[in-house]
C-alpha cells in the first residue's frame, strides 16, 4: 500500500506571488483557499514565530479541500536553544496550542534547527524523547531539519529512526543533504529555485524530484516543499511537479 505524494510551498502570504501565482485582485483572505485549489500541501510558518489560537487552525482547515495537508513548523523556542533537553515546556505549549483543530489536514511537524547547531548525541537524544507521539488522541509525525555537517553521523540517524522521526532532505547550497531511514513518511525541502527558470527548477530536475517522490511513496506519505532560493518561483515549481506526477 503506497503513500500519498503531497507537493507545496512555504506559507501562503508572500507579496511577489500576487500577480505571478495569485490572480490580480484576489483578496488576501482568499489566498490560502487558492493554494488549496492548486497545490496539495503547504508549510505553516506563523507557528515558528508565535503561538496561534485554536480558532485560527480551524479556519485554516476549513479553507482547504479534503486531502490537502499542512506541515506545521515548530516554535523556534523549542529548537533554538543551547540545551535541547530543556525544551519540554516549550514543546508542550507548542503542541497544545490547537494543532488538533487541523483534523485530517494535519501533516508532519517540522523541527528546524539553526545551521550553527551541532550534533550532541546525548542532548539530541534527550530532545527526541520529549516529542509526543500524539496530542489529544491525534497522532503526530515529526520531521527533523538539521543544518550542520556534524549530523551526518550514523548515531544521529539511529536516534531519529528509533524516535520514528523523518530526517528532512534539504536541497540547498550550504546545508548537508541527508537521507534518513524509512519511518513511514518522508519530507524534502527544495531550496534552489532560480529566477531565470520559469518553473524554478528545470523541467528535467522537476521530473527527477517527481521520480524520487514516486519511489519514496512505496514506504509511505511523501511531502515535498519548494521553499527558498527564488521564492517567487516556488508555486510554479510545485505546480510543475504535481503535473509531472500525473
Amino acid at each position: 500500500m503506497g503513500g500519498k505524494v503531497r507537493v507545496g510551498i512555504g506559507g501562503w502570504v508572500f507579496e511577489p506571488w500576487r500577480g505571478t501565482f495569485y490572480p490580480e485582485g484576489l483578496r488576501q483572505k482568499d489566498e490560502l483557499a487558492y493554494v488549496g485549489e492548486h497545490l496539495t500541501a503547504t508549510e505553516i510558518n506563523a507557528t515558528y514565530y508565535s503561538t496561534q489560537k485554536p480558532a485560527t487552525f480551524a479556519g485554516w482547515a476549513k479553507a482547504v479541500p479534503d486531502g490537502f495537508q499542512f506541515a506545521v513548523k515548530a516554535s523556534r523556542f523549542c529548537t533554538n536553544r543551547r540545551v535541547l533537553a530543556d525544551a519540554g515546556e516549550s514543546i508542550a505549549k507548542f503542541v497544545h496550542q490547537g494543532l488538533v483543530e487541523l483534523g485530517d489536514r494535519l501533516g508532519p511537524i517540522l523541527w528546524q534547527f539553526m545551521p550553527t547547531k551541532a550534533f550532541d548525541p546525548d542532548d539530541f537524544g534527550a530532545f527526541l524523547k520529549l516529542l509526543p507521539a500524539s496530542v489529544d488522541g491525534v497522532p503526530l509525525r515529526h520531521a527533523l531539519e538539521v543544518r550542520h555537517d556534524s549530523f551526518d553521523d550514523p548515531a544521529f540517524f539511529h536516534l531519529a529512526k528509533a524516535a520514528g522521526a523523518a530526517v528532512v532532505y534539504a536541497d540547498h547550497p550550504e546545508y548537508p543533504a541527508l537521507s534518513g531511514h524509512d519511518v513511514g513518511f518522508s519530507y524534502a525541502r527544495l531550496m534552489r529555485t532560480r529566477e531565470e527558470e520559469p518553473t524554478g527548477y528545470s523541467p528535467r530536475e522537476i521530473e527527477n524530484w517527481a521520480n524520487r517522490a514516486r519511489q519514496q511513496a512505496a514506504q509511505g506519505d511523501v511531502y515535498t516543499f519548494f521553499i527558498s532560493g527564488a521564492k517567487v518561483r516556488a508555486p510554479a515549481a510545485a505546480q510543475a511537479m504535481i503535473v509531472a506526477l500525473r
Side-chain angles (χ1 to χ4, degrees):
M1 173 64 183
K4 190 167 169 57
V5 179
R6 290 184 176 86
V7 185
I9 52 180
W12 53 89
V13 180
F14 184 56
E15 211 283 323
W17 289 341
R18 293 173 189 145
T20 55
F21 172 48
Y22 299 130
E24 291 288 357
L26 184 75
R27 297 180 305 180
Q28 191 172 334
K29 66 178 197 158
D30 295 330
E31 289 175 349
L32 176 56
Y34 190 86
V35 168
E37 284 165 29
H38 293 86
L39 307 176
T40 47
T42 193
E43 288 182 349
I44 296 175
N45 291 321
T47 45
Y48 179 74
Y49 298 103
S50 59
T51 304
Q52 307 296 311
K53 294 185 171 68
T56 302
F57 289 102
W60 290 337
K62 277 199 194 79
V64 295
D66 286 345
F68 187 96
Q69 286 191 350
F70 295 94
V72 184
K73 201 165 173 184
S75 164
R76 57 193 169 151
F77 297 109
C78 302
T79 52
N80 292 2
R81 49 173 65 236
R82 200 172 58 79
V83 182
L84 292 171
D86 293 345
E89 206 173 297
S90 295
I91 291 170
K93 184 181 178 191
F94 166 74
V95 298
H96 287 288
Q97 67 186 304
L99 302 189
V100 296
E101 297 294 333
L102 291 173
D104 60 6
R105 273 90 160 141
L106 175 61
I109 295 171
L110 174 68
W111 303 87
Q112 184 186 82
F113 297 86
M114 301 284 276
T116 50
K117 189 68 176 172
F119 178 48
D120 172 334
D122 294 337
D123 192 39
F124 208 84
F127 175 82
L128 291 176
K129 287 190 168 68
L130 299 172
L131 301 184
S134 64
V135 59
D136 299 339
V138 176
L140 299 179
R141 291 183 288 178
H142 303 290
L144 310 170
E145 187 182 21
V146 294
R147 297 176 153 188
H148 193 279
D149 287 329
S150 59
F151 282 91
D152 194 359
D153 179 328
F156 165 62
F157 294 111
H158 176 76
L159 284 172
K161 188 178 185 186
V167 174
V168 172
Y169 178 87
D171 184 43
H172 187 277
E174 284 138 47
Y175 309 146
L178 304 177
S179 293
H181 299 283
D182 170 26
V183 293
F185 79 100
S186 62
Y187 198 122
R189 302 184 88 229
L190 308 180
M191 299 179 268
R192 290 196 211 229
T193 47
R194 304 182 293 281
E195 183 95 38
E196 67 278 8
E197 191 64 67
T199 52
Y201 282 87
S202 72
R204 173 171 291 206
E205 288 169 320
I206 296 279
E207 190 60 55
N208 289 343
W209 293 126
N211 287 337
R212 186 176 190 273
R214 275 193 203 97
Q215 288 162 5
Q216 289 177 313
Q219 273 83 48
D221 289 344
V222 177
Y223 297 87
T224 303
F225 296 99
F226 292 90
I227 309 290
S228 52
K231 190 173 171 176
V232 69
R233 298 287 184 228
Q239 287 177 293
M241 180 164 162
I242 288 168
V243 170
L245 285 162
R246 285 186 188 137

